[in-house]
Amino acid sequence: MTPPPPAIRIRGLHKRFGDHHVLRGVDLDVPAGTSLVVIGGSGTGKSVLLKCILGLLEADAGSIRVAGEEVVGADEATLEGIRLRCGMLFQGAALFDSLPVWENVAFGLLARGRLRRREARALAVRTLARVGLGPEVADLRPAELSGGMKKRVGLARAIATSPEILFFDEPTTGLDPVMANVINDLVRRTVRDLGATAVSITHDMESVRRIADRVAMLHEGRIIWEGPVERVWASGHPVVDQFVHGRTEGPIAVLEAADAAAEAAE
């Protein structure tokens, strides 16, 4: 039997910013219904990769197919159709400060005229309950929320439209270990409950352990390893092994400038 096509298929993806060549020929498949986590150091292009998949950044070369639709070179109508099938939890939640929580959650539905305001508020309250927040939160402003609550509201907004594909950009950044695990467990549960495909980016290996089915490592602009999460801690790849175990010695260059600055300060 022929396997189903991947939910996301990337081939030969390149992206530059001036002289800085960030993505250098990324090849990656994300099977439908799978939670894939992309790991890699800061500044390796993980967020750039997500933005290219969503068409928020225009790739310089290559192919990105999302649910069978080509993203690279697509017109705005095609991109909008692709985005309607997706949900996104941004780093820092990226809530609209001027709107109450319920309008943040229902923003996509309201913006597209798919629900009346009363219906949208009711759906937002139900969705907030799915991420462990009560109805009293609905009328608060983002400034009144803790960091963990903002992440939950961002997650509620991402799932409010019951998307086929979810994207998570550093979902636990800035959270204490307990709240980080709460968010990890919520991400895992919501992906499972929706039956969605998920792509997350992180450098937090505890998040990887809790939310991933598969892991891919982005290094020097390419995917250098991809496989089941249970194999990532014993991959046999020297770069992957150094990263996941947090070793200072290995093929990943340690910041020599920081060492030089420390020596100068002594």
Side-chain angles (χ1 to χ4, degrees), residues 40-71:
S42 299
T44 54
K46 301 187 301 297
S47 291
V48 171
L49 176 61
L50 279 197
K51 290 174 181 177
C52 286
I53 295 172
L54 285 165
L56 300 174
L57 287 173
E58 186 175 353
D60 297 324
S63 171
I64 305 168
R65 299 191 72 85
V66 177
E69 294 276 359
E70 179 60 58
V71 172

Side-chain angles (χ1 to χ4, degrees), residues 105-146:
V105 173
F107 183 82
L109 296 165
L110 289 168
R112 297 175 183 121
R114 294 169 64 179
L115 289 178
R116 296 186 178 91
R117 288 180 63 81
R118 188 162 72 175
E119 295 169 332
R121 190 183 188 284
L123 182 143
V125 169
R126 293 195 301 271
T127 308
L128 287 168
R130 293 172 65 182
V131 299
L133 294 175
E136 69 280 359
V137 175
D139 293 311
L140 298 179
R141 300 281 172 166
E144 300 176 270
L145 306 177
S146 67

Side-chain angles (χ1 to χ4, degrees), residues 240-264:
V240 179
D241 287 349
Q242 182 188 354
F243 182 86
V244 301
H245 295 292
R247 298 177 184 137
T248 57
E249 296 184 359
I252 301 175
V254 178
L255 294 177
E256 295 177 1
D259 294 339
E263 290 177 5

Side-chain angles (χ1 to χ4, degrees), residues 54-91:
L54 285 165
L56 300 174
L57 287 173
E58 186 175 353
D60 297 324
S63 171
I64 305 168
R65 299 191 72 85
V66 177
E69 294 276 359
E70 179 60 58
V71 172
V72 179
D75 58 28
E76 193 56 38
T78 301
L79 291 176
E80 180 63 17
I82 292 169
R83 291 170 191 151
L84 283 171
R85 306 173 77 164
C86 301
M88 175 80 183
L89 173 58
F90 295 92
Q91 188 173 347

